Amino acid sequence: MGAIARELVRLSGPDAVHGVIPYALERYEAQVRGPAAAQRDGAAYGRKTIVQDMHSRKQMMHECVYRGAPGSGFVALSGGYGTSEELLEAATWKQLGIHDKPVCVYNVDGFYDGLLSWVGKSVSQGFIPSCDAGVLGCAASASEVVDWML
């Protein structure tokens, strides 16, 4: 995420990136990656808002997407537990009609193959209705991510 943030800032300036991080995650990153990771320079990584908890983070991120410009949506890059949880919540909310924004995984080097297989199996076994099979998009390249967002 840091490399992408730096590149977006390089291309479009610090206002192009807005990171929303809960206090506990900032503290965790300082312990795991060192204090420098938690104190990233805004000029290099964009704007950062620290919020109380993960619920506040997701609420703020969803509100930004909902009122965003054309092309706003949810894209999951390779990640861990938090990324997976946020991705599946965005997909579930789309399925339920809470939002109509695209939800897409950027499947670099097959990172999301297991999840996509699980979605296919869930559809084939009736846990996800076939009409909702396409709620979660998949892109294999940056240009495909852009196509999903438009």
Side-chain angles (χ1 to χ4, degrees):
M1 294 298 283
I4 291 171
R6 279 191 313 273
E7 182 63 8
L8 286 171
V9 167
R10 186 185 72 75
L11 292 171
S12 302
D15 289 338
V17 177
H18 181 195
V20 181
I21 185 169
Y23 174 74
L25 181 56
E26 181 181 52
R27 203 175 56 234
Y28 175 80
E29 282 194 355
Q31 291 171 348
V32 173
R33 297 189 176 121
Q39 301 300 323
R40 291 185 173 139
D41 176 20
Y45 291 92
R47 204 164 36 116
K48 177 169 72 171
T49 299
I50 300 171
V51 295
Q52 183 63 33
D53 53 37
M54 288 298 288
H55 297 291
S56 301
R57 167 188 156 84
K58 290 191 293 184
Q59 181 180 1
M60 180 177 276
M61 289 172 47
H62 284 238
E63 287 172 3
C64 288
V65 170
Y66 297 155
R67 62 175 193 266
S72 294
F74 301 92
V75 179
L77 306 175
S78 304
Y81 294 127
T83 302
S84 298
E85 189 271 335
E86 290 174 346
L87 167 66
L88 292 176
E89 181 174 280
T92 300
W93 287 14
K94 180 172 179 138
Q95 178 186 24
L96 298 176
I98 295 170
H99 72 81
D100 64 354
K101 300 294 187 178
V103 181
C104 178
V105 295
Y106 185 10
N107 195 24
V108 176
D109 293 331
F111 185 85
Y112 281 108
D113 287 352
L115 175 67
L116 296 168
S117 175
W118 171 81
V119 169
K121 187 172 187 174
S122 296
V123 171
S124 71
Q125 293 186 2
F127 293 103
I128 296 174
S130 58
C131 63
D132 293 324
V135 163
L136 182 61
C138 177
S141 69
S143 63
E144 287 181 24
V145 169
V146 171
D147 289 345
W148 266 100
M149 295 298 107
L150 300 178

PDB file of all heavy atoms in Angstrom, residues 120-141:
ATOM      1  N   GLY A 120     -16.997 -19.093  -6.227  1.00  0.00           N
ATOM      2  CA  GLY A 120     -17.589 -19.995  -7.225  1.00  0.00           C
ATOM      3  C   GLY A 120     -18.250 -21.201  -6.582  1.00  0.00           C
ATOM      4  O   GLY A 120     -19.361 -21.601  -6.969  1.00  0.00           O
ATOM      5  N   LYS A 121     -17.587 -21.794  -5.589  1.00  0.00           N
ATOM      6  CA  LYS A 121     -18.150 -22.953  -4.893  1.00  0.00           C
ATOM      7  C   LYS A 121     -19.394 -22.551  -4.111  1.00  0.00           C
ATOM      8  O   LYS A 121     -20.387 -23.289  -4.080  1.00  0.00           O
ATOM      9  CB  LYS A 121     -17.105 -23.560  -3.963  1.00  0.00           C
ATOM     10  CG  LYS A 121     -17.526 -24.862  -3.328  1.00  0.00           C
ATOM     11  CD  LYS A 121     -16.365 -25.502  -2.579  1.00  0.00           C
ATOM     12  CE  LYS A 121     -16.757 -26.884  -2.101  1.00  0.00           C
ATOM     13  NZ  LYS A 121     -15.614 -27.580  -1.499  1.00  0.00           N
ATOM     14  N   SER A 122     -19.376 -21.365  -3.488  1.00  0.00           N
ATOM     15  CA  SER A 122     -20.540 -20.881  -2.742  1.00  0.00           C
ATOM     16  C   SER A 122     -21.733 -20.667  -3.657  1.00  0.00           C
ATOM     17  O   SER A 122     -22.874 -20.950  -3.278  1.00  0.00           O
ATOM     18  CB  SER A 122     -20.190 -19.580  -2.003  1.00  0.00           C
ATOM     19  OG  SER A 122     -19.200 -19.820  -1.027  1.00  0.00           O
ATOM     20  N   VAL A 123     -21.477 -20.189  -4.867  1.00  0.00           N
ATOM     21  CA  VAL A 123     -22.551 -20.022  -5.847  1.00  0.00           C
ATOM     22  C   VAL A 123     -23.067 -21.389  -6.281  1.00  0.00           C
ATOM     23  O   VAL A 123     -24.278 -21.639  -6.277  1.00  0.00           O
ATOM     24  CB  VAL A 123     -22.074 -19.190  -7.064  1.00  0.00           C
ATOM     25  CG1 VAL A 123     -23.119 -19.202  -8.180  1.00  0.00           C
ATOM     26  CG2 VAL A 123     -21.755 -17.751  -6.644  1.00  0.00           C
ATOM     27  N   SER A 124     -22.162 -22.304  -6.635  1.00  0.00           N
ATOM     28  CA  SER A 124     -22.589 -23.621  -7.136  1.00  0.00           C
ATOM     29  C   SER A 124     -23.346 -24.423  -6.086  1.00  0.00           C
ATOM     30  O   SER A 124     -24.195 -25.237  -6.424  1.00  0.00           O
ATOM     31  CB  SER A 124     -21.401 -24.429  -7.662  1.00  0.00           C
ATOM     32  OG  SER A 124     -20.573 -24.856  -6.609  1.00  0.00           O
ATOM     33  N   GLN A 125     -23.055 -24.166  -4.799  1.00  0.00           N
ATOM     34  CA  GLN A 125     -23.748 -24.902  -3.734  1.00  0.00           C
ATOM     35  C   GLN A 125     -24.929 -24.134  -3.152  1.00  0.00           C
ATOM     36  O   GLN A 125     -25.554 -24.568  -2.197  1.00  0.00           O
ATOM     37  CB  GLN A 125     -22.751 -25.286  -2.638  1.00  0.00           C
ATOM     38  CG  GLN A 125     -21.733 -26.301  -3.137  1.00  0.00           C
ATOM     39  CD  GLN A 125     -20.823 -26.819  -2.041  1.00  0.00           C
ATOM     40  OE1 GLN A 125     -20.937 -26.459  -0.869  1.00  0.00           O
ATOM     41  NE2 GLN A 125     -19.905 -27.685  -2.427  1.00  0.00           N
ATOM     42  N   GLY A 126     -25.236 -22.969  -3.752  1.00  0.00           N
ATOM     43  CA  GLY A 126     -26.434 -22.237  -3.370  1.00  0.00           C
ATOM     44  C   GLY A 126     -26.304 -21.307  -2.174  1.00  0.00           C
ATOM     45  O   GLY A 126     -27.299 -20.748  -1.723  1.00  0.00           O
ATOM     46  N   PHE A 127     -25.097 -21.108  -1.644  1.00  0.00           N
ATOM     47  CA  PHE A 127     -24.920 -20.193  -0.525  1.00  0.00           C
ATOM     48  C   PHE A 127     -24.915 -18.733  -0.983  1.00  0.00           C
ATOM     49  O   PHE A 127     -25.253 -17.840  -0.212  1.00  0.00           O
ATOM     50  CB  PHE A 127     -23.629 -20.505   0.247  1.00  0.00           C
ATOM     51  CG  PHE A 127     -23.690 -21.824   0.945  1.00  0.00           C
ATOM     52  CD1 PHE A 127     -23.033 -22.927   0.424  1.00  0.00           C
ATOM     53  CD2 PHE A 127     -24.425 -21.979   2.110  1.00  0.00           C
ATOM     54  CE1 PHE A 127     -23.091 -24.153   1.055  1.00  0.00           C
ATOM     55  CE2 PHE A 127     -24.497 -23.200   2.752  1.00  0.00           C
ATOM     56  CZ  PHE A 127     -23.831 -24.301   2.228  1.00  0.00           C
ATOM     57  N   ILE A 128     -24.506 -18.508  -2.207  1.00  0.00           N
ATOM     58  CA  ILE A 128     -24.598 -17.191  -2.845  1.00  0.00           C
ATOM     59  C   ILE A 128     -25.496 -17.381  -4.059  1.00  0.00           C
ATOM     60  O   ILE A 128     -25.208 -18.224  -4.918  1.00  0.00           O
ATOM     61  CB  ILE A 128     -23.215 -16.662  -3.284  1.00  0.00           C
ATOM     62  CG1 ILE A 128     -22.306 -16.433  -2.069  1.00  0.00           C
ATOM     63  CG2 ILE A 128     -23.369 -15.371  -4.095  1.00  0.00           C
ATOM     64  CD1 ILE A 128     -20.871 -16.042  -2.424  1.00  0.00           C
ATOM     65  N   PRO A 129     -26.606 -16.642  -4.149  1.00  0.00           N
ATOM     66  CA  PRO A 129     -27.495 -16.792  -5.315  1.00  0.00           C
ATOM     67  C   PRO A 129     -26.748 -16.485  -6.615  1.00  0.00           C
ATOM     68  O   PRO A 129     -25.883 -15.584  -6.652  1.00  0.00           O
ATOM     69  CB  PRO A 129     -28.596 -15.766  -5.064  1.00  0.00           C
ATOM     70  CG  PRO A 129     -28.526 -15.457  -3.602  1.00  0.00           C
ATOM     71  CD  PRO A 129     -27.100 -15.645  -3.198  1.00  0.00           C
ATOM     72  N   SER A 130     -27.071 -17.200  -7.670  1.00  0.00           N
ATOM     73  CA  SER A 130     -26.378 -17.007  -8.954  1.00  0.00           C
ATOM     74  C   SER A 130     -26.514 -15.565  -9.445  1.00  0.00           C
ATOM     75  O   SER A 130     -25.602 -15.050 -10.095  1.00  0.00           O
ATOM     76  CB  SER A 130     -26.878 -18.001  -9.998  1.00  0.00           C
ATOM     77  OG  SER A 130     -28.266 -17.865 -10.178  1.00  0.00           O
ATOM     78  N   CYS A 131     -27.604 -14.894  -9.102  1.00  0.00           N
ATOM     79  CA  CYS A 131     -27.769 -13.496  -9.516  1.00  0.00           C
ATOM     80  C   CYS A 131     -26.748 -12.581  -8.832  1.00  0.00           C
ATOM     81  O   CYS A 131     -26.511 -11.468  -9.286  1.00  0.00           O
ATOM     82  CB  CYS A 131     -29.186 -13.003  -9.259  1.00  0.00           C
ATOM     83  SG  CYS A 131     -29.675 -12.981  -7.514  1.00  0.00           S
ATOM     84  N   ASP A 132     -26.133 -13.046  -7.758  1.00  0.00           N
ATOM     85  CA  ASP A 132     -25.132 -12.260  -7.041  1.00  0.00           C
ATOM     86  C   ASP A 132     -23.706 -12.745  -7.289  1.00  0.00           C
ATOM     87  O   ASP A 132     -22.765 -12.282  -6.642  1.00  0.00           O
ATOM     88  CB  ASP A 132     -25.410 -12.282  -5.530  1.00  0.00           C
ATOM     89  CG  ASP A 132     -26.688 -11.548  -5.166  1.00  0.00           C
ATOM     90  OD1 ASP A 132     -26.981 -10.523  -5.820  1.00  0.00           O
ATOM     91  OD2 ASP A 132     -27.392 -11.988  -4.235  1.00  0.00           O
ATOM     92  N   ALA A 133     -23.536 -13.658  -8.219  1.00  0.00           N
ATOM     93  CA  ALA A 133     -22.203 -14.206  -8.497  1.00  0.00           C
ATOM     94  C   ALA A 133     -21.223 -13.131  -8.939  1.00  0.00           C
ATOM     95  O   ALA A 133     -20.029 -13.218  -8.665  1.00  0.00           O
ATOM     96  CB  ALA A 133     -22.300 -15.311  -9.557  1.00  0.00           C
ATOM     97  N   GLY A 134     -21.712 -12.091  -9.598  1.00  0.00           N
ATOM     98  CA  GLY A 134     -20.841 -11.043 -10.112  1.00  0.00           C
ATOM     99  C   GLY A 134     -20.667  -9.847  -9.186  1.00  0.00           C
ATOM    100  O   GLY A 134     -20.108  -8.832  -9.605  1.00  0.00           O
ATOM    101  N   VAL A 135     -21.113  -9.942  -7.934  1.00  0.00           N
ATOM    102  CA  VAL A 135     -20.969  -8.832  -6.991  1.00  0.00           C
ATOM    103  C   VAL A 135     -19.505  -8.473  -6.818  1.00  0.00           C
ATOM    104  O   VAL A 135     -19.146  -7.305  -6.721  1.00  0.00           O
ATOM    105  CB  VAL A 135     -21.623  -9.190  -5.638  1.00  0.00           C
ATOM    106  CG1 VAL A 135     -21.153  -8.260  -4.535  1.00  0.00           C
ATOM    107  CG2 VAL A 135     -23.137  -9.142  -5.753  1.00  0.00           C
ATOM    108  N   LEU A 136     -18.648  -9.485  -6.793  1.00  0.00           N
ATOM    109  CA  LEU A 136     -17.217  -9.279  -6.595  1.00  0.00           C
ATOM    110  C   LEU A 136     -16.507  -9.424  -7.936  1.00  0.00           C
ATOM    111  O   LEU A 136     -16.506 -10.501  -8.530  1.00  0.00           O
ATOM    112  CB  LEU A 136     -16.671 -10.313  -5.598  1.00  0.00           C
ATOM    113  CG  LEU A 136     -15.205 -10.224  -5.247  1.00  0.00           C
ATOM    114  CD1 LEU A 136     -14.868  -8.885  -4.591  1.00  0.00           C
ATOM    115  CD2 LEU A 136     -14.822 -11.374  -4.325  1.00  0.00           C
ATOM    116  N   GLY A 137     -15.925  -8.328  -8.405  1.00  0.00           N
ATOM    117  CA  GLY A 137     -15.189  -8.348  -9.659  1.00  0.00           C
ATOM    118  C   GLY A 137     -13.748  -8.762  -9.452  1.00  0.00           C
ATOM    119  O   GLY A 137     -13.234  -8.763  -8.345  1.00  0.00           O
ATOM    120  N   CYS A 138     -13.109  -9.111 -10.548  1.00  0.00           N
ATOM    121  CA  CYS A 138     -11.707  -9.519 -10.494  1.00  0.00           C
ATOM    122  C   CYS A 138     -10.958  -8.868 -11.643  1.00  0.00           C
ATOM    123  O   CYS A 138     -11.407  -8.898 -12.789  1.00  0.00           O
ATOM    124  CB  CYS A 138     -11.606 -11.038 -10.592  1.00  0.00           C
ATOM    125  SG  CYS A 138      -9.904 -11.630 -10.630  1.00  0.00           S
ATOM    126  N   ALA A 139      -9.809  -8.287 -11.319  1.00  0.00           N
ATOM    127  CA  ALA A 139      -8.966  -7.648 -12.328  1.00  0.00           C
ATOM    128  C   ALA A 139      -7.554  -8.227 -12.217  1.00  0.00           C
ATOM    129  O   ALA A 139      -7.034  -8.402 -11.120  1.00  0.00           O
ATOM    130  CB  ALA A 139      -8.935  -6.141 -12.107  1.00  0.00           C
ATOM    131  N   ALA A 140      -6.959  -8.511 -13.356  1.00  0.00           N
ATOM    132  CA  ALA A 140      -5.603  -9.067 -13.384  1.00  0.00           C
ATOM    133  C   ALA A 140      -4.560  -8.010 -13.729  1.00  0.00           C
ATOM    134  O   ALA A 140      -3.372  -8.302 -13.717  1.00  0.00           O
ATOM    135  CB  ALA A 140      -5.540 -10.223 -14.383  1.00  0.00           C
ATOM    136  N   SER A 141      -5.013  -6.791 -14.035  1.00  0.00           N
ATOM    137  CA  SER A 141      -4.074  -5.719 -14.376  1.00  0.00           C
ATOM    138  C   SER A 141      -4.654  -4.392 -13.886  1.00  0.00           C
ATOM    139  O   SER A 141      -5.855  -4.287 -13.607  1.00  0.00           O
ATOM    140  CB  SER A 141      -3.862  -5.648 -15.889  1.00  0.00           C
ATOM    141  OG  SER A 141      -5.045  -5.200 -16.531  1.00  0.00           O
TER     142      SER A 141
END
